[in-house]
Each structure stands twice: as structure tokens, then as C-alpha cells.
Amino acid sequence: MFIKCSRISLLVVLRIINMNIKLFKCNILKRQIIVFMIFMGYSNITILHTNLSMAVVDMTSLKKISSSQNSSEMKAEFNWTPEQKSLILGSYSYGRLLSPIGGILATKLGGSTICSIGNLGMAVITLVSPLLLTADFNFFFIMYVIFGIFEALVITGIPEIIARWAPPEEHSRFVSFGEVGFFFGAIASFILSGIVLGKCQWQILFYCNGLASLIWFGIWFIIVKNEPMDDKHMSESEQRYIQERMKYKHAEEKLAYPWKKIATFMVLWVGSLAEFAIVCGLIFTSVFLPQCIEDTAGTDITHAGFISTIPQICALISMPISGCISDYIRSLNKISVTNLHRLFASISLLGASVFYAVVVICSNFVVHIVAISLYQFFSTFLLADITVLFLDISPKYTAFFMSIVNTCSITSGFIVPIVVEFIVTSHSLYQWNICFAIYSSMYLCVALLYLKFVTAEQPSWAISECNANQNTMEMKEKAINSAKL
């Protein structure tokens, strides 16, 4: 019955989309639809993460269970150890370590194709999760490692879509409006998951999100194409607009990987380190801030959880703002592209260092929340800018570069809990301040490295053949014109 309902729901949604897709191009640019789809794609990933973490809490919590003697006892449905919980909650991170493979596949098969495979895989695993749990813990863990591999396909496929769909002057808006889905998904999912778990069993949460994700796969498959030229429902004027502004023609060039030059490419590794540092702070605030507030302010966990949403809302607001500001400054042509990236990195990294230092120095609780919120607000400037940086350096290698960056940043999911567990033993204010001081110092060091090594200039091996030929022709024309003069 469930499978039949799922099939009917999917067919209805696909029919509606197919009937109305021509209406989109009449009123809305297809690029705007692509941005919205990227936003929803990131939201879907975050919702499925939250779905797992919320379900694990409900599955392992003590509940009243009636016995045959008309009495009740407190019993958990799954008696997992803390180590087993940590394994499950971090399982998808192990799969995401294979992101570079996704980056290579995205450049060969197309970003939309890779994202479709990833969306389908995540949806299926989520749907069958209740059955996997009744089978074996180890099998469930392995399946969620595979879930992480599918997730890596989506995350590495999206930069390839942006490289093929977004004109250079719209890169920042594409990235920032899309990636804000991470924060939107987190806020929406905590609310909706809490409602579902409050009224239904945890299995329903997997079924609901799995079915929604399966429908989402169908929507993505129909609407998002690998390249604008593959989209039959797109206006010719918009196709021409994108084609005229694209510097890299993907279909005209075979991709080779100069591994030695990539291994010594400092911009890639410093950019990866910068993203790792920012993600460390984001994980620290999103995962451990409620506990920190409860320990240091003496408030209960309910109020601590509510207060902890304030920095998330700040990030939700700031990311699209940063993208618009970046594109506007770029359009003025008053500052070089390299200096533009360094400006946003300085705002993000130095701002993070200062605001975390304020938390250490000042003992006022309100000041702490304001400082952490401002940290979250400015940290998103770098998150959006990293992808744009590699789009500027080399559109043809963007998906691969971002897969390396994502692989480095995902390790923060392993490192941050270890650091907090090692330092915060008695849950005192002093110990929490040590954590903030460590992150503040790290941001300062990374900011200096970023300003020293990061540039948006294209290395010779990263320039596409089309661009190289075009530059050669332009130089010849200039030489001929100067000779005539």
C-alpha cells in the first residue's frame, strides 16, 4: 500500500511539473529556477541529516512500556552505547571523504546527472532505514556510509552546474542563494521533525522524509539539465545570453588532471584550510552551543535550544546578502577579482577571530550571544566566496577543486567533537573559553595565510584551450593594430 501511494504521488507531481514547466520560462528566468533548485537541494541534504539525528535520539531514549502485569517500565527501543550513537551520526561523513571521485564524475557526466543519482540514492536509503535497523547495526552503519557517498555526488555536482549555468557576474548570487539552503533546512527540519516525533513513531519520520526526497529526485530530474543547451523549455534569448558570457565551453574540451601541479597548488590547499576553519566554528556553534549555554548561563535546555537558533537565523540572512554585495562590487570594476576575494575572506576570518575573542574576554551572557551571532553572520561570507574563487580560477576544474575543499572541511565533523570532549571535562566557563580561544587563534592564522597565498589569477594549466586560443587571437589582433598605427 505504501509503495503504491508513493508511486501515485510521484506520478502526479511529475505530471504537474511537466504540464507547467513552459509557464516558468514565460515569467521567470531559467537561471532563477536553477538557483531555487540548488537551494532546495542543499535544504534536502540538511533535512535528511537532521532526520537521522532526531530519529536516533527518539529511538534510544527511555520510554514507558506496558508489561503483562499491568505495570510499566522505562525502556529504550535500541540500547546503543554512546560510541554506537557517534558512529551512526558520523557515518555519512565517512562516505563524503570520497568527494574527489564525485568531482571527477561531475566533470565527465555533468553536474545534474550526478546530482540526480545522489538524490535517488539518499531517498532510497532513507525510505528503507527502518527495515535496515531491524536487520543489523553494522549493516545500517554501512548503508549510511553509502548515503554519504551519494551525498558527496550532490555536493560536488552542484558547483559543476553553477560553472555551466551562471555567467561570471552572477557567480556569487548563484552560490550564496543556493547555499543558504543549508541553514534553512536546519531550521525547518528541527521544527518539523519535532512535530512528527511528538505525534508519531520514529519510523514515520524516515518514511515522510524519504518519500519527499524521492519526489524531489523526480522534480530535479525533470527541471535541471547539465547545460543550458540541453534545456528545451528555456528561451533562446537566455540561452544566447549565457553562451555569450561563458568563457569555458565544456563540450569542446577533454579534461586532464595534472596531478603534480594540483598537489603544489597553494590556492587550493589554503582555500581548503579556510573552509575547514569556518566549518569547524559552524559545527561548534550548531552542535555544542546549546550545551555551552546550559553550562555557563544556567538556563534549561529548552531555552538554550531556542537561543541557539539566533546565530543560525543570522547566517540565513547574511549569505544571500554577501552574494549580492560581491556581485555589485564586481560590476563596478573598481577592485581586482583577487582583492575582492581577499576582502571577503578578511571580513569573514578576521571577524570570526575578533568575535570569538570577545566571547573569551567578556563575561556578559548577552554580549556572548551577540558576538556569536555576528560570527555566524560574517562566517558565511567566506563559505560562499570559496566556490566563487575556484569558478574564477578555472571553471573546468571547479567541481574537482570543490570536492577537495569539501573533503577537507568534512574532517571537521570528526575533529571538533574530539577537541570539545578533550577540553570540556567539567563543563566550566573556563573550559568553554579555551575552545573559543583556540578557534579565534586559528582564524587569525588562516586569515594571514589566505592574504599571503590566495589569488584569483589562473595558472597556465587551469586555463581552458578555448580561452587560451581566444587570448592568443586577441593578442595577435592587438599586435596587428599597433603595427598599423
Side-chain angles (χ1 to χ4, degrees), residues 452-467:
K452 172 68 175 177
F453 292 105
V454 171
T455 174
E457 295 179 4
Q458 292 183 316
S460 57
W461 52 268
I463 300 175
S464 67
E465 294 175 6
C466 299
N467 263 10

Side-chain angles (χ1 to χ4, degrees), residues 57-74:
V57 171
D58 190 68
M59 289 152 44
T60 57
S61 61
L62 296 175
K63 300 176 184 178
K64 285 185 178 181
I65 299 177
S66 300
S67 62
S68 57
Q69 289 80 20
N70 294 325
S71 61
S72 61
E73 58 178 340
M74 301 297 290

Side-chain angles (χ1 to χ4, degrees), residues 107 159-160 162-164 168 171 246-250 253-258 262 265 267-268 330 337 341 386-402 455-465 467:
T107 55
E160 183 69 12
I162 296 173
R164 301 192 186 201
H171 280 169
M246 284 300 190
K247 296 179 180 180
Y248 171 50
K249 311 300 182 184
H250 297 260
E253 188 172 336
K254 291 184 178 181
L255 202 60
Y257 293 90
I262 290 175
F265 188 36
V267 177
L268 174 61
R330 186 183 293 241
V337 177
H341 288 298
I386 288 291
T387 305
V388 180
L389 170 67
F390 291 113
L391 283 166
D392 289 334
I393 291 175
S394 179
K396 71 175 183 177
Y397 286 115
T398 297
F400 178 73
F401 285 158
M402 287 309 301
T455 174
E457 295 179 4
Q458 292 183 316
S460 57
W461 52 268
I463 300 175
S464 67
E465 294 175 6
N467 263 10

